[in-house]
């Protein structure tokens, strides 16, 4: 390695002198591009969770549709991530939505009104309505979670949870779970590239592709295990298991009105429960 | 034999929109030893991945032996151009060293006898001849890296591309890889290497291609590329000339990219 450092100058983005002059790494505390991004991570998480719960609680078609529009579509479009949210949440929701629609459309019990018949199967109006209700709920939940995921940096969420007194072990688990998927995808594609470079045929017949899986699985799993071990060691070396509260160099801001927003949102849940229990509701 | 030609090659990564290659024209003849150098992110690895079809050009052409690389699968190009990647942990998968090296030749459909010889020869070249039955994960980082080089050598391709072959190697490992480069050249095979190790580049390569921001900014012999006049260009892509070149320039010996060149120039001056 000594050989390397002798002849190569470091990363151009980070000249040595500048590193000392700047007290914190550049990514830390960098504000998000929009005011939605800049909301406290817990606020965005609360919005996502309450949206999901309300989409189920409200029942009918109008209520969940309004929730979907107000809490998912509107912020997503205003934040400029509309297309991304639609694409991802439809991918998430589609399998469940399609199967639930088919089952209810044709097999909802006690549904007298026939829409049309397909061989032995009878599609009913009641079934269609119920299917629509389910699809809207599923899409609303998928959309709310996707919007949260896309507009929140994992590091911000982890830091914020830690500031609120959550155990570092727990926040670490949250953080690694969220970041693991893209890392695994990245690793798997690098491994696939290396094996294809050695003649592994991933473009041929299904049988050839099946045979090609083994050389990809091995290093993916070995690497993931290795990474866990190395990460544990690195954390340990930096005093991860040391008892006591950590001093945070930076954490996302959490103004009083956001706290108000969060509590109001949470309070809508018992309100709706009571209203629904009383027998009221939107169509 | 196999000649590589890149014409107006542009590559834009679809996910990030990064224009990693921005109009590359390069011709590498059979049997050349070419080093690709340049700062991190200058496009070296992206270029290498076009040579075996792993990446497809956004614009422009990649011609392997006069044939458009787009018309061939990666698996079939692997028989002509073998690319050895940087990180051993992202490719080694077999239970034994011999099986790992055998993977490429088997994909190429060679008979068992031919494969056995190829594996033995390749392992011999990297100094792992006695480790045929060892588990690759018992080898240690630097020898595992040599294993990946062996598994590419065994494929006997006319073109061998090495991405950062000397990373993590001690002097003996670097010397071994240098010997491999020379041996490949002696067999008339083309070697393209990406490296940040300027001393290694100056000693073992006949041609040095310097990249910056997806373009080629210098292309010549080590004596040309590491000559004092070119230092500002090297600095613009965060490279420094090898120590021998600096010494030579300070002593007014002309361009002396290697220690041998310094000695020769000094001898010539005192004679």
């Amino acid at each position: 390695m000594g050989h390397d450092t002798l002849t190569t100058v470091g990363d151009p983005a980070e000249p040595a002198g500048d590193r000392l002059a700047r007290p914190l790494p550049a990514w830390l505390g960098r504000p998000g591009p929009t005011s939605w991004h800049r909301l406290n991570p817990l606020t965005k998480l609360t919005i996502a969770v309450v949206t999901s719960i309300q989409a189920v609680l409200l029942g009918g078609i109008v209520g969940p549709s309004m929730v979907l529009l107000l809490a998912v579509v509107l912020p997503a479009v205003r934040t400029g991530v509309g297309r991304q949210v639609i694409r991802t949440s439809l991918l998430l929701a589609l399998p469940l939505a399609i199967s639930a629609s088919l089952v209810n459309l044709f097999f909802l019990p006690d549904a007298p009104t026939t829409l049309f018949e397909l061989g032995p199967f009878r599609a009913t109006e009641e079934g269609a309505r119920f299917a629509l209700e389910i699809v809207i709920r599923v899409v609303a939940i998928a959309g709310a979670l996707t919007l949260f995921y896309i507009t929140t940096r994992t590091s911000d969420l982890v830091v914020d949870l830690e500031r609120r007194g959550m155990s570092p072990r727990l926040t670490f688990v949250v953080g690694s779970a969220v970041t693991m998927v893209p890392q695994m995808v990245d690793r798997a594609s690098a491994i696939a590239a290396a094996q294809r470079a050695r003649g592994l045929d991933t473009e041929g017949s299904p049988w050839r592709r099946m045979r090609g899986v083994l050389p990809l699985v091995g290093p993916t799993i070995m690497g993931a295990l290795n990474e866990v071990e190395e990460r544990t060691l690195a954390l340990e070396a930096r005093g991860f298991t040391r008892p006591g509260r950590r001093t945070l160099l930076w954490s996302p801001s959490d103004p009083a009105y956001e706290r108000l927003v969060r509590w109001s949102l949470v309070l809508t849940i018992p309100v709706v429960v009571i209203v629904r229990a009383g027998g009221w509701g939107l169509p | 034999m196999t000649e590589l030609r890149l014409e107006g090659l542009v590559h834009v990564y679809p996910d990030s929109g990064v224009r990693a290659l921005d109009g590359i024209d390069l011709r590498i003849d059979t049997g050349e030893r070419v080093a690709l150098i340049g700062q991190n992110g200058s496009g070296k690895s992206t270029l290498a991945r076009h040579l075996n079809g792993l990446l497809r050009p956004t614009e422009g052409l990649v011609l392997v032996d006069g044939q458009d690389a787009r018309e061939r699968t990666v698996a079939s190009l692997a028989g002509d151009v073998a690319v050895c990647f940087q990180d051993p942990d992202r490719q080694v998968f077999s239970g034994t060293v011999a099986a790992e090296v055998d993977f490429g030749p088997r994909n190429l459909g060679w008979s068992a006898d031919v494969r056995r010889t190829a594996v033995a020869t390749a392992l011999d070249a990297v100094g792992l001849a006695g480790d045929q039955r060892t588990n690759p994960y018992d080898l240690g980082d630097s020898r595992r890296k040599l294993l990946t080089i062996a598994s590419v050598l065994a494929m006997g391709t006319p073109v061998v591309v090495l991405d950062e072959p000397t990373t993590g190697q001690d002097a003996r490992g670097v010397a071994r890889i240098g010997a491999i480069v020379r041996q490949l050249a002696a067999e008339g095979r083309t070697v393209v290497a990406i490296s940040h190790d300027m001393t290694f580049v100056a000693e073992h390569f006949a041609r040095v291609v310097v990249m910056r921001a997806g373009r080629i900014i210098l292309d010549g012999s080590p004596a040309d590329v590491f000559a004092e006049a070119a230092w500002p260009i090297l600095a613009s892509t965060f490279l420094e000339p090898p120590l021998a070149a600096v010494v030579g320039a300070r002593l007014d010996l002309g361009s002396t990219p290697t220690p041998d060149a310094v000695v020769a120039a000094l001898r010539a001056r005192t004679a």
Side-chain angles (χ1 to χ4, degrees):
Chain A
M1 283 306 266
H3 222 76
D4 261 4
T5 42
L6 186 72
T7 43
T8 325
V9 177
D11 194 333
E14 210 169 22
D18 197 37
R19 213 176 302 162
L20 297 174
R22 204 173 46 214
L24 296 175
W27 58 266
L28 196 63
R30 191 182 60 209
T34 69
S35 53
W36 177 274
H37 282 91
R38 285 191 293 272
L39 286 174
N40 186 279
L42 191 64
T43 308
K44 281 179 281 185
L45 185 60
T46 311
I47 293 173
V49 172
V50 172
T51 304
S52 307
I53 294 175
Q54 290 294 20
V56 177
L57 277 183
L58 280 169
I61 291 173
V62 176
S65 303
M66 274 167 56
V67 168
L68 175 63
L69 191 73
L70 286 176
V72 179
V73 177
L74 208 67
V77 170
R78 297 246 358 217
T79 314
V81 293
R83 274 177 53 186
Q84 229 180 324
V85 169
I86 289 170
R87 205 181 51 195
T88 313
S89 53
L90 282 186
L91 272 176
L92 278 173
L94 231 50
L96 190 60
I98 290 175
S99 50
S101 309
L102 287 178
V103 168
N104 285 301
L105 183 61
F106 291 106
F107 303 112
L108 191 76
D110 304 325
T113 328
T114 304
L115 272 184
F116 59 89
E117 275 177 36
L118 206 71
F121 305 117
R122 190 170 61 91
T124 61
E125 198 185 312
E126 292 77 9
R129 195 189 147 84
F130 194 68
L132 184 63
E133 284 180 25
I134 290 185
V135 169
I136 292 174
R137 285 176 191 181
V138 172
V139 169
I141 294 172
L145 296 177
T146 307
L147 177 63
F148 167 73
Y149 185 74
I150 287 177
T151 56
T152 311
R153 271 200 303 263
T154 314
S155 57
D156 288 4
L157 176 68
V158 167
V159 167
D160 195 60
L161 290 176
E162 213 168 314
R163 181 180 68 89
R164 294 171 195 278
M166 199 168 174
S167 134
R169 284 165 198 265
L170 233 81
T171 53
F172 175 68
V173 171
V174 173
S176 20
V178 179
T179 49
M180 204 167 73
V181 175
Q183 271 175 14
M184 288 284 273
V185 170
D186 189 45
R187 166 174 283 274
S189 67
I191 292 166
Q195 313 303 25
R196 291 171 72 200
R198 288 194 287 161
L200 178 70
D201 196 348
T202 52
E203 291 156 301
S205 67
W207 164 240
R208 298 212 76 165
R209 286 189 212 189
M210 285 279 287
R211 237 183 26 177
V213 171
L214 180 70
L216 306 182
V217 174
T220 310
I221 293 175
M222 282 300 281
L225 290 177
N226 245 338
E227 223 157 69
V228 170
E229 190 188 339
E230 265 172 41
R231 199 182 286 197
T232 317
L233 285 174
L235 283 171
E236 201 48 62
R238 286 181 280 162
F240 183 69
T241 50
R242 183 192 150 274
R245 254 192 110 104
R246 273 42 167 184
T247 309
L248 296 172
L249 289 174
W250 171 88
S251 61
S253 67
D254 189 17
Y257 72 84
E258 285 202 32
R259 219 165 313 153
L260 191 69
V261 167
R262 285 200 297 270
W263 280 114
S264 322
L265 283 170
V266 172
L267 279 176
T268 61
I269 293 171
V271 171
V272 170
V273 169
I274 292 167
V275 169
R276 295 283 295 164
W280 296 285
L282 294 163
Chain B
M1 286 305 276
T2 307
E3 168 216 65
L4 301 169
R5 231 162 59 212
L6 310 178
E7 289 175 2
L9 178 60
V10 171
H11 190 83
V12 180
Y13 282 101
D15 291 339
S16 57
V18 171
R19 201 175 172 86
L21 296 178
D22 190 19
I24 299 278
D25 291 296
L26 183 66
R27 179 190 158 142
I28 297 175
D29 286 322
T30 304
E32 273 199 280
R33 281 169 294 150
V34 182
L36 276 179
I37 63 175
Q39 73 189 77
N40 297 330
S42 57
K44 308 181 294 291
S45 294
T46 305
L47 193 157
R49 280 160 191 242
H50 278 85
L51 299 178
N52 68 344
L54 272 177
L55 290 176
R56 305 287 169 171
T58 309
E59 284 169 39
L61 266 184
V62 176
L63 298 168
V64 175
D65 214 5
Q67 201 187 358
D68 190 341
R70 278 176 304 192
E71 288 161 12
R72 298 179 57 185
T73 63
V74 180
S76 95
L77 277 167
D80 288 325
V81 183
V83 179
C84 179
F85 289 103
Q86 218 169 329
D87 186 354
D89 293 341
R90 294 191 165 195
Q91 49 182 307
V92 173
F93 72 99
S94 303
T96 66
V97 163
E100 181 68 29
V101 178
D102 191 41
F103 179 67
R106 211 176 40 208
N107 282 329
L108 296 179
W110 295 0
S111 73
D113 283 346
V114 178
R115 269 155 45 201
R116 223 180 339 263
T117 319
V119 169
T121 313
L123 284 174
D124 201 37
V126 298
L128 288 174
D131 287 294
Q132 292 231 8
R133 309 211 59 80
T134 309
N135 186 311
Y137 280 88
D138 292 333
L139 279 180
D141 285 338
S142 58
R143 296 176 80 212
R144 198 151 64 234
K145 176 92 183 177
L146 290 169
L147 169 61
T148 64
I149 294 175
S151 46
V152 162
L153 291 180
M155 296 169 73
T157 52
V159 181
V160 175
V161 181
L162 305 170
D163 195 344
E164 295 280 6
T166 58
T167 310
Q169 298 294 330
D170 55 18
R172 193 175 57 158
V174 175
R176 192 158 260 155
I177 295 165
I180 291 169
V181 172
R182 275 197 308 275
Q183 176 62 32
L184 286 169
E187 292 167 11
R189 293 158 76 180
T190 309
V191 188
V192 179
I194 293 171
S195 185
H196 283 295
D197 185 339
M198 296 304 124
T199 307
F200 170 74
V201 167
E203 297 216 359
H204 299 290
F205 292 84
R207 181 175 168 198
V208 183
V209 173
V210 187
M211 292 185 67
R212 181 182 64 202
R215 292 177 185 216
I216 292 173
I217 54 172
L218 275 178
D219 182 352
S221 67
D224 295 335
V225 167
F226 295 126
E228 195 171 2
W231 292 357
I233 304 176
L234 291 178
S236 75
T237 186
F238 297 91
L239 297 172
E240 282 181 343
L243 185 60
V246 179
V247 170
R250 295 273 157 81
L251 296 175
D252 290 321
L253 295 173
S255 183
T256 55
T258 62
D260 284 348
V262 175
V263 172
L266 278 174
R267 286 230 172 88
R269 189 154 79 179
T270 47

